[in-house]
Amino acid sequence: MKKLYILTLIILPAAAFCQTAVPSNIRAQISAERLSTQNWERLGNAIVGMPIPPGDVVGDVYLDSKWNMGSVMVSDKNSLIEGYPMKYDLKSQYIEIKTSGGVRVLDVKNVGHMVWLDSITRQPRYFVNAAKYKDDGVPMVGLMEVLLDGEKALLKKTKLNVKQPTYVPAMDVGSRDTEIYKKSAYYYNNGVEVVEIKSKKKFIDGLGDVGEEVEKYMKDNKLDVKTEGDLVRIFEFYNSKMQRG
């Protein structure tokens, strides 16, 4: 009798474990054979689980996301819109103007000049219609910021770039976000033609007789053509030489 009792104690836990690991009703309902023969696409089963969360949009389409008090010269009407908070939408190429009656938009094509007073730094920023300049004979589009005026104006063009999501669900890798970022290019003008500043050598070569003096000035002051503040100093020096010459 004792042997039977001991044997029962040994068998019962094992049986209990087998019942909880894969319940018999699940074994009956879902079998390897059933999974391989059913046309599951035709079944109206409810899918239980969480869908892949959508990505976010990182960044914005504005040259400056805050409202800045500004004035715009409307070229086709030769009129001035001034004293309104403004934003520049790089994607749509509109100037958004905040009025008491709501936000109005002005196509950049109709903008001759624009001045902003930065709402934080209180420094003015000047813009001209890029269409007045040509890049390899092709008129440019949008607005260009005038960082420094002079014999050769230092101009800045901000371009909008959109990086699409790279997420691969099957591998669970990549980003679900759409990333909006801005990249600035710097130019100087030769009349209506503009030259993009890409490297020190090409920049110096393009300055002609004054190039050697500018190169020495850059070396003495450790200035780099890839830094906006340095470029302003370089063009201040260049224009001062041209005025004296």
Side-chain angles (χ1 to χ4, degrees):
M1 184 65 179
K2 288 183 180 181
K3 290 182 179 180
L4 179 60
Y5 176 72
I6 293 170
L7 184 60
T8 301
L9 289 177
I10 293 172
I11 293 173
L12 282 176
F17 175 78
C18 292
Q19 287 174 358
T20 56
V22 182
S24 58
N25 62 326
I26 296 298
R27 288 179 178 273
Q29 292 178 26
I30 301 178
S31 65
E33 182 179 0
R34 186 164 184 257
L35 287 172
S36 63
T37 57
Q38 287 283 356
N39 185 353
W40 293 102
E41 292 183 359
R42 296 182 180 178
L43 295 178
N45 294 328
I47 304 299
V48 179
M50 294 292 291
I52 297 172
D56 295 322
V57 176
V58 180
D60 60 76
V61 298
Y62 297 102
L63 176 64
D64 187 342
S65 60
K66 65 184 184 295
W67 293 100
N68 297 301
M69 197 65 72
S71 297
V72 172
M73 175 63 72
V74 183
S75 55
D76 61 344
K77 296 182 179 179
N78 197 29
S79 61
L80 188 66
I81 301 173
E82 62 180 340
Y84 291 97
M86 298 179 181
K87 287 183 183 181
Y88 176 20
D89 184 336
L90 294 166
K91 182 179 180 181
S92 301
Q93 288 300 320
Y94 286 140
I95 302 299
E96 294 186 6
I97 304 170
K98 191 176 184 181
T99 73
S100 57
V103 176
R104 302 289 187 264
V105 296
L106 176 66
D107 196 317
V108 163
K109 293 177 183 178
N110 298 321
V111 174
H113 301 83
M114 181 172 72
V115 181
W116 273 354
L117 186 64
D118 191 283
S119 59
I120 293 179
T121 66
R122 310 306 295 172
Q123 295 298 312
R125 298 174 67 180
Y126 302 93
F127 302 85
V128 295
N129 198 312
K132 69 181 291 185
Y133 295 111
K134 295 181 179 180
D135 187 4
D136 287 332
V138 179
M140 301 186 76
V141 177
L143 296 180
M144 300 184 81
E145 185 171 0
V146 182
L147 297 177
L148 189 72
D149 215 342
E151 179 74 19
K152 291 186 187 299
L154 176 59
L155 306 166
K156 176 180 176 180
K157 185 81 167 67
T158 303
K159 303 172 184 179
L160 193 69
N161 293 279
V162 179
K163 185 178 180 182
Q164 298 297 333
T166 58
Y167 184 68
V168 181
M171 302 179 67
D172 193 26
V173 295
S175 171
R176 290 189 289 268
D177 297 336
T178 298
E179 298 179 39
I180 300 175
Y181 62 97
K182 296 134 196 170
K183 187 175 181 181
S184 297
Y186 299 90
Y187 300 83
Y188 64 87
N189 71 298
N190 285 324
V192 297
E193 283 287 332
V194 293
V195 179
E196 185 174 356
I197 303 169
K198 294 182 177 180
S199 69
K200 176 183 174 181
K201 184 179 185 309
K202 288 186 177 180
F203 171 64
I204 295 298
D205 290 346
L207 297 182
D209 297 337
V210 190
E212 289 186 7
E213 292 184 70
V214 172
E215 185 174 23
K216 183 179 183 305
Y217 177 77
M218 290 175 60
K219 183 177 180 180
D220 291 344
N221 293 276
K222 298 179 180 179
L223 303 178
D224 187 352
V225 296
K226 296 187 182 298
T227 303
E228 183 176 307
D230 288 358
L231 275 174
V232 172
R233 290 183 62 187
I234 292 166
F235 274 83
E236 285 175 340
F237 175 79
Y238 171 82
N239 286 323
S240 68
K241 295 295 296 182
M242 295 304 293
Q243 286 172 358
R244 286 199 292 267

